[in-house]
């Protein structure tokens, strides 16, 4: 257990310091934001009450705000050691029973979402599993469009559509409340479909390497049933996904704020958001601490499961690399999606995104307004095009920063592991509130809030792949031939780890754009009249039944961005005409140069270059 915890006492101390820093930062939130907590609590208790000085003074005396944040934090910690998390500043009720009840609702919702995610991931990988178990992966054509659409759909938009169409119009399932299993279906679908699409795409990226290992080819040659081969291939790839699965568990528990708001679910994410907005510090600190403990437990269980699955192979250095370099498959879909996205943006840029026309409110698409108009008569196409400049630029900058940080910190698992477990427990909404309180509101505040937690999945993925690559047979042989640590890092580990993590970062690009959009949807991002995509969805969502185009077109552009990111993750290469096969021997005038000996490279790596590879180069 000490090794699973990440290195014993130093790692435990590092985790304790991180948790203490997070809890203290939350306790300082009212003072960091330079607001009067008494005024915020009064508005949360009764919005119509006049904030006169006597009332505010009474609230300060009742809550003990005169003692300062350190005294309040000390009293909360002292009570927590005795099983008492204090009372809510807004409702006056005991905090711990309410947090436990909200955590139970969130865990139940998370379980339903994981079932949906598992089914979605299985559907995404079904074709690869079928072809790989039969040894016919060479006939697989690159796809991923449907996966991209699922991964790029905003959770709050899926929740709003499911609630309005299936719950209200058709009446098949209840749309609001949390009273039984039937109320779980729609929110579980809203959360599980995008998460399952991302996990399925990551698993689909690992499966070809597993089916190319010697054991799989030997099993196929000996007539082992294809189901057994497929099951063992999934078992071989699951350890590389377990860290990200743990992050999904935490994200589905605490990060489903918008879905809980739409379906009126009394979950922990919604409770934490309400406490943060009301500056109800006892509830906010207790809820965040529960999420941190859940993240630490999920991370510990994921590492334990990985050790149980491939522990002996890790110890003996007997693994095969799942990430062998291969040329990109011929595909033109990224060019098609990129051209469509550029055409939409370019066609709407000459239009004015702020021009109001009250006589053209909620107009259907026409020649004058190809995407229709919103509730103020503004052209939807113009707002999408101008919002793309900020939304896509910010998402690309955050993705690049997260990729670099994830790779660098992932190379130091003992440092990044506890940091990932702690930061992954912070929902993006709460991170946005903390960053806004510390830095103030500004155009880059939402981007910084998303970047604080966006690198965590990439770092976890890097650490997991690095741990397996270090236990591969070819790395053991290279190390035995005298290769040093820097040589192994530059020439073996990074070339094997960086490409799949970069593809993972591309898969996360729509998710980062959605996180920025979610902050705008909840009023923590861009403010009107900015044409930010999240703000567009938030402004037009109340009119979805009367003017569905005002919501569908921004969502379609987000889905197009997801299709571009997912298909581009596999590389872009135009199909070339096949040439007739010539003689196997090189021509007489073709001279194959002999390899040059490099003193800093191991002798085993100095192999002659075949003529066929020289021709390809």
């Amino acid at each position: 257990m000490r090794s699973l915890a990440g290195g014993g006492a130093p790692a435990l101390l590092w985790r304790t310091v991180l948790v203490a820093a997070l809890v203290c930062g939350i306790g300082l939130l009212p003072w960091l934001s330079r607001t009067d907590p008494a005024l915020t609590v009064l508005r949360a208790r009764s919005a119509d009450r006049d904030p006169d000085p006597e009332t505010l003074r009474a609230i300060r005396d009742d809550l003990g705000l005169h003692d300062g944040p350190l005294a309040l934090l000390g009293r909360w910690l002292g009570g927590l050691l005795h099983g008492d998390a204090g009372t809510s500043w807004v409702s006056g009720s005991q905090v711990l029973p309410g947090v436990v009840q909200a955590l139970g609702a969130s865990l139940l919702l998370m379980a339903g979402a994981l079932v949906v995610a598992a089914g979605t991931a299985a559907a995404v990988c079904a074709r690869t599993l079928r072809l790989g178990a039969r040894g016919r992966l060479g006939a697989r054509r690159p796809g991923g469009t449907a996966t991209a659409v699922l991964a790029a759909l905003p959770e709050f938009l899926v929740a709003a559509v499911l609630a309005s169409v299936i719950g209200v119009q058709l009446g098949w399932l209840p749309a609001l409340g949390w009273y039984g299993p039937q109320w779980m279906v729609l929110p579980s679908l809203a959360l599980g479909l995008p998460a399952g699409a991302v996990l399925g795409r990551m698993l689909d990226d690992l499966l070809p390497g597993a089916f190319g290992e010697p054991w799989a080819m030997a099993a196929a040659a000996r007539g082992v049933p294809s189901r057994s081969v497929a099951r063992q291939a999934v078992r071989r790839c699951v350890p590389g996904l377990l860290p990200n699965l743990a992050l999904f568990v935490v994200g589905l528990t605490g990060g489903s704020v918008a879905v809980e708001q739409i379906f009126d679910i009394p979950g922990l994410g919604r409770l934490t958001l309400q406490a943060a907005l009301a500056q109800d510090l006892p509830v906010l600190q207790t809820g965040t601490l529960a999420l941190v403990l859940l993240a630490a437990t999920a991370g510990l269980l994921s590492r334990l499961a990985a050790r149980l699955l491939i522990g002996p192979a890790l110890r003996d250095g007997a693994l095969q690399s799942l990430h062998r370099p291969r040329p990109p498959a011929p595909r033109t879909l990224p060019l098609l999606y990129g051209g469509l996205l550029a055409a939409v943006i370019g066609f709407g840029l000459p239009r004015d995104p702020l021009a109001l026309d009250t006589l053209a409110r909620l107009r259907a698409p026409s020649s004058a307004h190809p995407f229709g108009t919103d509730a103020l008569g503004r052209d939807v196409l113009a707002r999408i095009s101008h919002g793309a400049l900020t939304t896509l630029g910010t998402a690309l900058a955050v993705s690049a920063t997260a990729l670099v940080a994830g790779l660098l910190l992932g190379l130091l698992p003992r440092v990044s592991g506890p940091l990932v477990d702690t930061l992954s427990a912070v929902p993006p909404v709460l991170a946005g509130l903390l960053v806004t309180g510390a830095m103030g509101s500004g155009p880059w505040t939402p981007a910084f809030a998303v970047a604080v937690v966006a690198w965590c999945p990439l770092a976890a993925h890097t650490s997991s792949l690095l741990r397996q690559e270090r236990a591969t047979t070819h790395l053991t042989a290279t190390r035995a031939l005298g290769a040093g640590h820097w040589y192994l890092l530059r020439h073996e580990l990074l070339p094997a780890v960086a490409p799949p993590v970069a593809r993972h970062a591309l898969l996360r690009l729509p998710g980062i754009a959605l996180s920025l959009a979610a902050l705008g949807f909840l009023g923590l991002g861009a403010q009107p009249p900015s044409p930010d995509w999240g703000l567009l969805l938030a402004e037009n969502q109340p009119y979805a039944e009367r003017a569905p185009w005002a919501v569908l077109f921004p969502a379609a552009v987000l889905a197009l961005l997801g299709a571009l990111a997912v298909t581009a993750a596999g590389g872009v290469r135009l199909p070339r005409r096949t040439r007739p096969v010539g003689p196997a021997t090189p021509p007489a005038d073709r001279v194959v140069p002999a390899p040059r000996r490099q003193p800093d490279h191991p002798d085993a790596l100095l192999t002659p270059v075949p003529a066929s590879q020289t021709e390809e180069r």
Side-chain angles (χ1 to χ4, degrees), residues 213 236 307 310-322 463-477 479 488 492-493 497:
E213 290 184 344
R236 172 69 179 89
R307 287 297 181 94
I310 57 172
L314 286 176
R315 184 186 64 247
D316 300 334
L319 286 178
Q320 296 286 331
S321 177
L322 291 177
S463 299
S464 176
L465 296 180
L466 187 67
R467 183 168 56 250
Q468 296 191 43
E469 285 295 327
R470 283 174 173 170
T472 54
T473 54
H474 74 89
L475 197 74
T476 304
R479 189 186 297 113
L488 293 175
E492 298 293 338
L493 294 176
V497 170

Side-chain angles (χ1 to χ4, degrees), residues 153-169 174-176 186-187 189-191 258-264 521 537-538 540-545 551-552 555:
L153 286 178
E155 295 174 350
F156 54 85
L157 180 62
V158 177
V161 171
L162 291 176
S164 60
V165 176
I166 297 181
V168 177
Q169 295 182 0
L176 297 175
L186 295 182
L189 289 173
L191 290 173
V259 175
E260 292 177 355
Q261 289 276 71
I262 292 174
F263 289 102
D264 194 22
F521 179 80
L537 292 171
N540 297 320
Q541 195 269 335
Y543 309 98
E545 295 184 7
V551 176
L552 291 179

Side-chain angles (χ1 to χ4, degrees), residues 88-243:
S88 171
W89 288 1
V90 176
S91 64
S93 59
Q94 291 293 321
V95 171
L96 196 57
V99 170
V100 171
Q101 183 177 3
L103 179 61
S106 293
L107 290 177
L108 189 60
L109 176 60
M110 177 266 292
L114 283 180
V115 172
V116 176
T120 305
V124 170
C125 302
R127 188 166 180 267
T128 302
L129 286 172
R130 184 175 66 254
L131 294 178
R134 298 175 182 176
R136 296 168 52 191
L137 272 181
R140 187 183 67 156
R141 294 182 179 180
T145 302
T147 307
V149 172
L150 284 178
L153 286 178
E155 295 174 350
F156 54 85
L157 180 62
V158 177
V161 171
L162 291 176
S164 60
V165 176
I166 297 181
V168 177
Q169 295 182 0
L170 299 178
W172 292 348
L173 292 169
L176 297 175
W178 189 254
Y179 305 105
Q182 293 181 346
W183 280 263
M184 286 180 54
V185 178
L186 295 182
S188 298
L189 289 173
L191 290 173
L193 288 176
V198 175
L199 285 175
R201 190 66 186 182
M202 293 175 61
L203 179 59
D204 194 69
D205 186 47
L206 293 174
L207 284 173
F211 283 120
E213 290 184 344
W215 68 265
M217 294 184 287
R222 294 179 65 88
V224 177
S226 57
R227 289 186 178 181
S228 299
V229 177
R231 184 168 59 252
Q232 293 301 322
V234 172
R235 183 181 183 274
R236 172 69 179 89
C237 298
V238 161
L241 298 178
L242 284 175

Side-chain angles (χ1 to χ4, degrees), residues 500-573:
V501 176
R503 291 193 293 269
H504 185 189
L506 277 176
L507 294 178
R508 292 277 176 177
L509 176 61
I512 289 176
L514 294 181
S515 298
L516 296 171
L519 290 177
F521 179 80
L522 295 171
L524 300 175
Q527 300 299 319
S530 171
D532 182 80
W533 287 359
L535 191 59
L536 289 182
L537 292 171
E539 291 176 342
N540 297 320
Q541 195 269 335
Y543 309 98
E545 295 184 7
R546 181 180 175 185
W549 53 85
V551 176
L552 291 179
F553 281 114
V557 176
L558 274 173
L560 186 60
L561 172 63
L564 173 61
V566 171
T567 53
V572 181
R573 182 165 69 90

Side-chain angles (χ1 to χ4, degrees), residues 364-410:
S366 61
S367 58
H369 304 285
F371 285 4
T373 61
D374 62 5
L376 298 178
R378 296 172 296 189
D379 189 81
V380 175
L381 175 60
R383 294 184 63 76
I384 290 176
S385 300
H386 286 265
L389 300 179
T390 57
T391 303
L392 294 182
T394 306
L396 286 173
V398 172
S399 298
T401 304
L403 175 59
V404 174
L407 281 174
L408 294 179
L409 291 175

